[in-house]
């Protein structure tokens, strides 16, 4: 496993990196233990990646490496890459990946998910699968992450996203309590997530599938080729059309 870093970045990116390091400097040690209770849908996303044999997978906002490790176990023939802006999180991820004996199959890099150079960081022009798990809700300018991810896909590649929904089927008090808690960690569910993803799918002439989980607690989406199918998401929706399943 190798870890690379971007050259000096703009002040805004540096400030966000510093913020994330501050938030997770201590949280990273208990992150996986606590987040398993409310970062729902991550394993469903991983099982729906359907990585081709010998394929390549990039996670944007890889955090502690939890998702990459589970995905690497599920797809033993694939190579994995992880990007995160927090050096603290990458330190934890590196240690976890080493403990799992995945050093030869995983490459990590520090960088900004809204603007990254896959060739400079990983020596690749594109990836068969890119996924973003509960990171868009804490990335300033998250819409740029979606565009950057789509630009980094290989032909016939797909982008997979799971994040907080709008809790549309849950009590108002629960929504208020959850958002108050998330705000402490600089996390904000993206109300326009579905609209942005649908717009990007039209722009790139790709298929778009969208599913709500747990009464809207989480949203799961895939942008990819029309031939892509998944038992997790169901059949591909026609171009520029949304398949919504509760």
């Amino acid at each position: 496993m190798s870890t690379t870093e971007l050259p000096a970045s703009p002040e805004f990116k540096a400030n966000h990196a510093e913020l994330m390091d501050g938030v997770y400097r201590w949280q990273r040690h208990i992150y996986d233990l606590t987040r398993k209770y409310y970062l729902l849908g991550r394993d469903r996303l991983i099982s729906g990646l359907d990585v081709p044999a010998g394929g390549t997978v990039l996670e944007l906002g890889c955090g502690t490496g939890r998702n990459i490790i589970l995905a690497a176990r599920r797809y033993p023939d694939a190579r994995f890459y992880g990007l995160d802006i927090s050096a603290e999180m990458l330190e934890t991820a590196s240690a976890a990946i080493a403990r799992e004996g995945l050093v030869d199959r995983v490459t990590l890099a520090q960088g900004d998910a809204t603007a990254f150079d896959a060739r400079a960081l990983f020596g690749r022009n594109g990836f068969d699968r890119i996924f973003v798990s509960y990171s868009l809700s804490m990335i300033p300018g998250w819409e740029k992450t979606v565009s950057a991810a789509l630009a980094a896909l290989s032909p016939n590649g797909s982008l997979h996203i799971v994040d907080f929904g709008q809790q549309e089927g849950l009590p108002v008090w629960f929504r208020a309590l959850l958002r108050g808690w998330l705000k402490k960690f600089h996390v904000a569910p993206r109300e326009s997530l579905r609209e942005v993803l649908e717009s990007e799918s039209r722009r790139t002439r790709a298929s778009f599938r969208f599913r709500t989980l747990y009464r809207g607690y989480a949203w799961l989406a895939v942008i990819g080729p029309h031939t892509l199918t998944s038992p997790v998401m169901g059949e591909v929706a026609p171009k520029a059309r949304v398949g919504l399943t509760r």
Side-chain angles (χ1 to χ4, degrees), residues 29-160:
H29 299 296
I30 59 171
Y31 186 92
D32 291 335
L33 179 63
T34 58
R35 268 56 176 185
K36 69 179 181 180
Y37 297 109
Y38 64 89
L39 297 188
L40 309 178
R42 294 181 296 173
D43 294 349
R44 188 186 294 248
L45 178 150
I46 291 171
S47 65
L49 289 175
D50 193 25
V51 184
T56 55
V57 182
L58 169 65
E59 181 180 12
L60 298 177
C62 63
T64 63
R66 181 261 188 195
N67 295 327
I68 282 183
I69 289 171
L70 291 181
R73 291 174 183 165
R74 186 177 183 90
Y75 306 103
D77 295 327
R79 284 198 57 85
F80 290 83
Y81 302 83
L83 181 73
D84 204 284
I85 202 167
S86 170
E88 298 284 348
M89 281 298 214
L90 287 173
E91 181 180 338
T92 296
S94 296
I97 290 166
R99 285 196 302 271
E100 293 292 327
L102 296 171
V103 171
D104 293 336
R105 295 178 53 210
V106 180
T107 300
L108 301 179
Q110 184 179 10
D112 181 4
T114 67
F116 60 93
D117 185 335
R119 168 58 63 179
L121 290 171
F122 304 112
R124 300 201 59 84
N125 292 323
F127 305 87
D128 297 303
R129 302 288 183 267
I130 297 178
F131 70 96
V132 192
S133 171
Y134 285 96
S135 291
L136 295 181
S137 52
M138 57 193 311
I139 296 177
W142 61 273
E143 299 91 341
K144 294 180 181 178
T145 297
V146 176
S147 299
L150 291 173
L153 285 175
S154 298
N156 295 318
S158 56
L159 170 62
H160 302 245

Side-chain angles (χ1 to χ4, degrees), residues 182-225:
L182 294 177
K183 190 176 181 180
K184 297 178 183 293
F185 301 98
H186 304 276
V187 176
R190 306 307 189 186
E191 184 176 357
S192 61
L193 177 61
R194 176 180 171 182
E195 287 74 17
V196 168
L197 296 180
E198 186 176 11
S199 175
E200 283 295 288
S201 71
R202 288 196 298 267
R203 181 182 66 82
T204 58
R205 302 182 63 81
S207 65
F208 177 46
R209 290 171 294 155
F210 186 92
R211 185 172 186 178
T212 65
L213 304 176
Y214 314 111
R215 298 173 64 185
Y217 180 90
W219 288 347
L220 180 64
V222 178
I223 297 178

